[in-house]
Amino acid sequence: MLIQQSLAEQHLSYGAMKACTELLITFFLSADGGRNLSLDSISMGLPMSDPTAWATAMNNLGMAPMGMTGQPLLPDFDPALGMMTGIPPINPMMPGLGIVPPPIPPDMPAVKEIIHCKSCTLFPPNPHLPPPATRERPPGCKTVFVGGLPENGTEQIIMEVFEQCGEVIAIRKSKKNFCHIRFAEEFMVDKALYLSGYRIRLGSSTDKKDTGRLHVDFAQARDDLYEWECKQRMLAREERHRRRLEEERFHPPSPPPVVHYSDHECSIVAEKLKDDTKFSEAVQTLLTWIERGEVNRRTANNFYSMIQSANSHIRRLVNEKAAHEKEMEEAKEKFKLALSGILVQFEQIVAVYHSASKQKAWDHFTKAQRKNISVWCKQAEEIRNIHNDELMGIRREEEMEMSDEEIEDPSEMKETDESALVSQVEALKEENDSLRWQLDAYRNEVELLKQEHGKASRDEDTTKEQQLKLLQQALQGMQQHLLKVQDEYKKREAELEKVKEDKLKIETLLETLKEQQSVANEEDKERDVTDGQGNESSMPRVCACSQEKECPVEKTLSNSPVKSEREALLVGIISTFLHVHPFGASIEYICSYLQRLDSKICTTEVEVLMTRLQTTFKQELSGVGASLEKKWKFCGFDGLKMT
């Protein structure tokens, strides 16, 4: 379609078709041997003086443009181009065409024409420029890269240009004036590459956005590669299947399975052993049964009768061998008689050659005839000598087989001499073979040693590498473990510092309490001394007051909830822990923390101690129903304020 439009633009379509018709008639006339017809007798609408139409017609038919005199019309013709759509190129070797065109130079440039489409026009590149460069073709390539598109180009215009190269499956257009086109078959890519270098113009516009220079190249697509790999795998499967079928066809057929022994099968095999045609099959079955160990005290008689039947065939086999030997002797006699007759005829032919080579007849032959006669004579003599040697060998064998008493002694001497020579030759052969085998064994040992040495070195290298990798991994693990230990150590140190600070606070509180108590006691004593000199009426009040003040101290000292130093330490640590957790903590959480310091601490002991110190610790309930939770809080500061 594209080429016909280009011909219409050049106003040569009619003349080209007429020239094509004229060219075809010329070919058929030349094939028929020029039967009294000429081009002058054919009425043509186009004279032969129009070389352009003639060249275009031959170009469209894929032939070199040749004139009627055999001269080329176009010096730069490429037969790979210029093929009309729907018309196959004329092959000069086709039946009915008895001409062979002259060879076309390989360096002849291609003739590209203007291609008209509905929405655009393609102008060919400069024929003197080098062909556009392309990348290496990927396997199974069905996708092309098209660059240099006009900015106003659409997918419809791209489809219009490239659908004439073949069926387009998909077009992926980019915003940067290029696209990728995927065709249905691989050969369509070659047609698309033909358009590389063409200048495209949309309509009749000369705007820069409506023009561009096409650059078509191979593109690498995953779909193409996947389809190509699937195709290759399918071909490989077919090849393996074909080879397997060939191997199975050449394999010998497997022998039929041998049935297991039974009385019924034994009777069948015994009948087959009596039949000459089925004897070999029955003997194989009998042999398999015996090798399997089917013979026992119960079946011994049956097996003996079958063995006896097999033994009865020995006489038959001996008679058959004698008959075959007799046939062989008769055949030897016939062969010897036929060979002697052939030798007689050879002698006669050689005698004819010798008589023809005598001077009476030899002088009348030409030089070429003499040469042929001498060659024939040599060939006949060589063939006669070969047959004569063969016949003499047969007679010699027959003489050696003779058993006459007169010939026995010398023949025995010859046989002993020959046997001695044969034994010597065999001994030398055996020695030679043994030496050769020893040499092969030494070579194999050397190769094995080399391979073992190479393997050992490789194994050592691999083991060293593995050891290094293992050591590196171990070092990395140790480093990570050390980092974790350091982090835990820092956390523990921070916790210990907090505990120490809380302990110091508690100690300071205890000291302040003791100082306050000692100060209060001294003040009471001083008041007692000063008030002793006063009125008697004030004495009972002071005594009562001092007694009231001393009684709670004594009560507190006698009824103290902290009964040991260990409990005092626990109180201090628990107070510090709950001070850090202002929202409270469960008894299990507190005990888990204390058990890190002392594993002998139990939950009941801690809970009893905390219930005794109600002014220091208080228990609160949080949650509802199943989520009910008991938490302990530190309230020592509140209790201190209240006291």
Side-chain angles (χ1 to χ4, degrees):
M1 187 67 182
L2 297 176
I3 305 303
Q4 287 176 354
Q5 290 177 358
S6 65
L7 291 174
E9 186 186 10
Q10 294 179 359
H11 305 289
L12 294 173
S13 60
Y14 177 77
M17 295 302 292
K18 289 290 185 180
C20 292
T21 308
E22 184 180 352
L23 180 62
L24 289 170
I25 294 169
T26 306
F27 286 148
F28 286 117
L29 288 176
S30 62
D32 294 335
R35 296 178 182 175
N36 300 322
L37 292 174
S38 62
L39 293 172
D40 298 331
S41 63
I42 301 169
S43 61
M44 302 292 292
L46 181 70
M48 288 301 296
S49 61
D50 191 353
T52 309
W54 179 262
T56 307
M58 297 185 72
N59 182 18
N60 292 334
L61 292 171
M63 299 179 61
M66 303 292 293
M68 298 303 296
T69 59
Q71 297 177 353
L73 296 176
L74 290 177
D76 54 351
F77 172 74
D78 188 357
L81 309 174
M83 188 180 296
M84 291 180 66
T85 306
I87 301 177
I90 291 180
N91 186 2
M93 303 305 293
M94 291 168 60
L97 301 179
I99 63 169
V100 177
I104 301 169
D107 56 349
M108 186 175 290
V111 177
K112 294 187 177 182
E113 299 177 353
I114 299 173
I115 300 173
H116 293 279
C117 299
K118 292 180 182 179
S119 304
C120 62
T121 307
L122 300 176
F123 297 94
N126 189 355
H128 300 290
L129 293 176
T134 58
R135 61 180 292 180
E136 185 179 357
R137 182 166 190 158
C141 180
K142 295 182 184 178
T143 307
V144 295
F145 166 81
V146 182
L149 294 171
E151 292 184 13
N152 295 332
T154 61
E155 289 189 7
Q156 289 79 8
I157 295 172
I158 297 168
M159 178 68 76
E160 182 182 346
V161 173
F162 285 94
E163 69 180 355
Q164 303 184 36
C165 301
E167 182 184 354
V168 177
I169 294 177
I171 296 176
R172 295 189 297 273
K173 189 176 182 302
S174 177
K175 297 179 181 179
K176 296 184 179 180
N177 302 333
F178 70 87
C179 69
H180 289 86
I181 303 174
R182 190 164 187 258
F183 293 97
E185 299 294 337
E186 294 184 23
F187 68 89
M188 300 174 184
V189 174
D190 300 325
K191 292 183 180 180
L193 289 175
Y194 175 74
L195 299 176
S196 184
Y198 269 77
R199 289 179 290 107
I200 184 170
R201 186 179 70 189
L202 303 181
S204 59
S205 174
T206 58
D207 191 5
K208 188 175 181 181
K209 294 184 178 181
D210 295 333
T211 59
R213 184 181 295 275
L214 298 179
H215 173 69
V216 186
D217 198 355
F218 299 109
Q220 190 168 5
R222 286 177 292 182
D223 296 338
D224 298 343
L225 183 61
Y226 176 72
E227 290 182 2
W228 181 78
E229 288 177 350
C230 292
K231 188 177 180 182
Q232 295 298 318
R233 284 195 291 270
M234 183 183 68
L235 294 174
R237 284 196 298 271
E238 292 177 355
E239 181 67 19
R240 288 196 299 271
H241 181 66
R242 185 182 62 79
R243 288 181 181 176
R244 194 181 300 113
L245 291 177
E246 289 182 357
E247 291 175 358
E248 290 176 357
R249 187 162 56 88
F250 288 113
H251 279 171
S254 58
V258 179
V259 296
H260 293 282
Y261 176 81
S262 65
D263 294 336
H264 177 67
E265 295 293 338
C266 180
S267 62
I268 294 172
V269 172
E271 292 296 329
K272 287 182 179 180
L273 285 171
K274 296 175 183 178
D275 190 358
D276 297 343
T277 57
K278 300 178 181 179
F279 174 73
S280 60
E281 181 184 354
V283 165
Q284 186 64 34
T285 306
L286 177 61
L287 176 63
T288 306
W289 285 350
I290 293 171
E291 289 179 350
R292 284 179 183 174
E294 300 288 348
V295 182
N296 52 34
R297 188 173 294 176
R298 185 176 64 82
T299 60
N301 293 328
N302 295 333
F303 275 98
Y304 179 76
S305 62
M306 287 189 287
I307 292 168
Q308 192 174 6
S309 300
N311 185 47
S312 64
H313 285 271
I314 292 175
R315 187 178 296 175
R316 177 182 63 82
L317 294 174
V318 171
N319 293 332
E320 286 182 1
K321 181 186 176 186
H324 288 305
E325 286 179 351
K326 187 176 180 181
E327 289 177 1
M328 187 179 68
E329 292 294 333
E330 291 176 356
K332 280 184 178 180
E333 289 295 330
K334 288 180 181 179
F335 176 71
K336 189 166 64 173
L337 292 173
L339 190 58
S340 61
I342 291 169
L343 283 172
V344 170
Q345 293 177 10
F346 269 114
E347 291 292 342
Q348 292 174 356
I349 293 169
V350 171
V352 169
Y353 289 143
H354 284 301
S355 61
S357 61
K358 291 182 181 179
Q359 193 170 4
K360 290 182 180 180
W362 192 256
D363 294 338
H364 299 285
F365 295 117
T366 61
K367 190 174 181 181
Q369 291 172 349
R370 292 175 186 174
K371 186 176 181 181
N372 290 335
I373 290 168
S374 60
V375 171
W376 294 340
C377 182
K378 287 180 181 179
Q379 292 176 355
E381 286 178 351
E382 290 176 358
I383 297 170
R384 181 197 64 183
N385 293 332
I386 291 169
H387 285 75
N388 195 8
D389 293 339
E390 190 174 357
L391 184 60
M392 293 299 293
I394 293 169
R395 288 176 180 174
R396 233 182 263 113
E397 289 177 358
E398 290 178 352
E399 289 176 357
M400 290 175 67
E401 290 175 358
M402 291 173 64
S403 59
D404 296 339
E405 293 180 357
E406 296 178 356
I407 308 173
E408 278 183 0
D409 296 335
S411 65
E412 286 179 359
M413 292 294 293
K414 289 180 181 178
E415 286 177 1
T416 53
D417 294 333
E418 289 178 358
S419 63
L421 291 172
V422 168
S423 62
Q424 290 179 2
V425 170
E426 289 179 354
L428 290 172
K429 283 183 179 179
E430 289 178 357
E431 187 177 358
N432 189 12
D433 292 337
S434 65
L435 291 172
R436 194 186 310 120
W437 292 337
Q438 289 178 3
L439 182 60
D440 293 338
Y442 289 143
R443 287 177 181 172
N444 292 331
E445 287 180 359
V446 170
E447 290 178 357
L448 288 172
L449 288 171
K450 287 182 179 178
Q451 290 177 359
E452 288 178 357
H453 183 68
K455 286 181 180 178
S457 61
R458 291 174 187 170
D459 293 339
E460 288 178 358
D461 294 337
T462 53
T463 52
K464 287 180 180 178
E465 290 178 356
Q466 291 176 356
Q467 289 177 357
L468 287 172
K469 288 181 180 178
L470 290 172
L471 289 172
Q472 289 176 357
Q473 292 176 358
L475 286 172
Q476 290 177 357
M478 292 288 287
Q479 289 176 356
Q480 293 176 357
H481 184 66
L482 285 172
L483 291 172
K484 290 180 180 178
V485 170
Q486 287 177 357
D487 294 337
E488 291 181 357
Y489 180 71
K490 289 179 180 178
K491 290 179 181 178
R492 295 286 176 84
E493 282 186 346
E495 291 177 355
L496 285 172
E497 287 178 357
K498 289 181 180 179
V499 170
K500 287 179 180 179
E501 289 176 358
D502 294 338
K503 189 177 179 181
L504 289 172
K505 288 180 181 178
I506 291 167
E507 288 177 354
T508 52
L509 287 171
L510 289 171
E511 288 178 357
T512 53
L513 288 171
K514 288 179 181 179
E515 288 177 356
Q516 289 176 0
Q517 285 181 358
S518 61
V519 170
N521 292 329
E522 288 177 358
E523 288 178 354
D524 291 336
K525 288 178 181 180
E526 289 177 357
R527 285 176 184 173
D528 291 337
V529 171
T530 54
D531 292 337
Q533 297 175 2
N535 299 325
E536 293 178 356
S537 60
S538 62
M539 283 295 291
R541 296 178 183 176
V542 174
C543 291
C545 292
S546 62
Q547 286 176 0
E548 288 177 359
K549 289 180 180 179
E550 288 176 359
C551 285
V553 174
E554 291 175 355
K555 287 179 182 178
T556 53
L557 291 172
S558 60
N559 298 326
S560 176
V562 181
K563 297 178 180 180
S564 64
E565 187 178 357
R566 183 171 181 274
E567 290 182 355
L569 288 172
L570 286 175
V571 170
I573 294 168
I574 293 167
S575 302
T576 307
F577 181 78
L578 292 175
H579 183 66
V580 176
H581 297 79
F583 296 104
S586 63
I587 189 68
E588 290 82 6
Y589 187 25
I590 296 167
C591 290
S592 65
Y593 176 73
L594 293 172
Q595 283 173 357
R596 292 182 185 177
L597 303 174
D598 187 2
S599 60
K600 296 179 181 180
I601 295 172
C602 60
T603 308
T604 55
E605 180 185 358
V606 176
E607 192 170 5
V608 168
L609 179 62
M610 293 175 73
T611 52
R612 279 187 289 171
L613 299 170
Q614 294 181 359
T615 57
T616 308
F617 307 106
K618 68 178 178 178
Q619 189 177 19
E620 292 182 355
L621 298 176
S622 62
V624 179
S627 61
L628 189 65
E629 188 178 4
K630 296 180 180 180
K631 289 186 178 181
W632 288 89
K633 290 186 177 181
F634 177 71
C635 59
F637 297 115
D638 297 336
L640 185 63
K641 290 177 182 178
M642 291 173 66
T643 56

